Amino acid sequence: MSVHYQRHGDIGVIQIANPPVNALSQAVRSGLINALEEGIADQEARALLVLADGRTFIAGADIREFGKPPQAPLLPDVISQLEACPKPLIAALHGTALGGGLEVALGCHYRVALAGTRVGLPEVKLGLLPGAGGTQRLPRLVGVERALEMITSGRFVAAEEALEAGIIDAISSAETPLEAGLTAAQAVLADNQMARVTGQLPAPAANPQAISAMLERLNQDAAELFSPFRIVEAVEASVTAESLQDGLRRERELFLACMDSPQRAGLIHLFFAARSPHMVPEVESTDVFKHVALIGEDPLFERLQKAAQKAGITLTSTADNATELCLLAPTADRDSGPALPTIVLENIGSGSDSALKLIVAENGSMVELVNLSAEPLTQQRAALTLKALRLNVVASQKQSLLNTLQLASQQATASDRQTALEQASVSIAKNGFCYRESDIDLLAVEALGYPRHLGGPHRQSTLKDTPL
């Protein structure tokens, strides 16, 4: 069951269990309403507490529902019912409370967070805006200027800043969300802490200077983007609307406009592209190499050393009997390498006849593991190893995608650069160098600066070839 209700003394506990990140699926949304109704009807429950199992509170929407028709109950309706609860409603946060997760918390009457919790409204990164009251309730707590900054940037806010800003009401030293929430609920019932209905707070004070400053910054830094400007309109509505309901209606209109934007589709395409670009098709489940030799010297090796202990991987500077994989720096003597799986690290634009080679983007954001002649299982294990060492890995075959894209970019004039990348992406896909066409888009955006909101050069070339 995604959500269940249980009473602890005189506190009714609404507990969400939808691993791994307690995403707001239709089952969770429906379960929240059912559990809320049960808690309201429970005459022995004087206050209600919302919390989540596992390592985090609600980390946002359910990505499995992206692109599908919305199913009732919609999140704005769920939050409206939470906010209207006649009993004090406490949210106990831990891990992250992001997007719809923070909006759920804002619909509660009191928010306590465990140390280390982070909150945020990152919808802008998907070409959207918070569509369940975030643009209306957050300004009532923190004011227009801070709300604009938070929502247009989509940044995560640490618990200490959230407390200072008024987003949460307390930070607890308790070990569990349940302990923190029950303690907070008892304090609210004893009038030692004040619960408040966010939607009933006064509208934020008008701040035309903050609006103007944000519009000026957006026009300078992100004039081509759609959703940040809609965010400004929505936050402005929290000031000018005659009521919370009017502001919510305006937010919904602007949210739906973002949903219809091609930019939203492009950014969500990249979101999915980034989920598993390190996976090699048709390779069954396997494990990382636990003993890796880093032969030679390279700045990348310093990054790997920092992540190795947490990943449970032993790194050595020479190969020995325990070594399972070697990574050779560009200047290392390749002839002295042992007869075991070896990755040759290369700079962009160079070439080799190694079975596996690793190309590092010039900005360091991505690495590409190219399979020239290794067994697919070996490439997969190597990719998993690099991923465990905190590298953003794209797996490919036959020829480097990064090198091909970089060469196309360098040979084009500035005005023709996007077109050149689009043409190169078509060639890459046609020749079977990529495992997934979305990998081309991910590399072009993250490593070569192709405009993110367009979704990548291959996506754009596909759209241009689609008849209207």
Side-chain angles (χ1 to χ4, degrees), residues 385-400:
T385 304
L386 296 170
K387 179 80 171 173
L389 292 170
R390 311 294 294 173
L391 295 183
N392 294 319
V393 185
V394 173
S396 63
Q397 61 181 344
K398 301 178 184 177
Q399 183 171 305
S400 167

Side-chain angles (χ1 to χ4, degrees), residues 386-418:
L386 296 170
K387 179 80 171 173
L389 292 170
R390 311 294 294 173
L391 295 183
N392 294 319
V393 185
V394 173
S396 63
Q397 61 181 344
K398 301 178 184 177
Q399 183 171 305
S400 167
L401 313 185
L402 259 176
N403 278 337
T404 303
L405 292 169
Q406 172 106 336
L407 181 62
S409 176
Q410 290 175 340
Q411 291 179 340
T413 62
S415 60
D416 292 334
R417 188 165 171 266
Q418 288 186 26

Side-chain angles (χ1 to χ4, degrees), residues 320-348:
D320 55 32
N321 291 336
T323 303
E324 300 173 280
L325 176 71
C326 289
L327 182 53
L328 272 62
T331 56
D333 183 359
R334 301 182 186 185
D335 293 334
S336 64
L340 45 77
T342 301
I343 303 172
V344 174
L345 178 61
E346 295 184 355
N347 298 317
I348 281 190

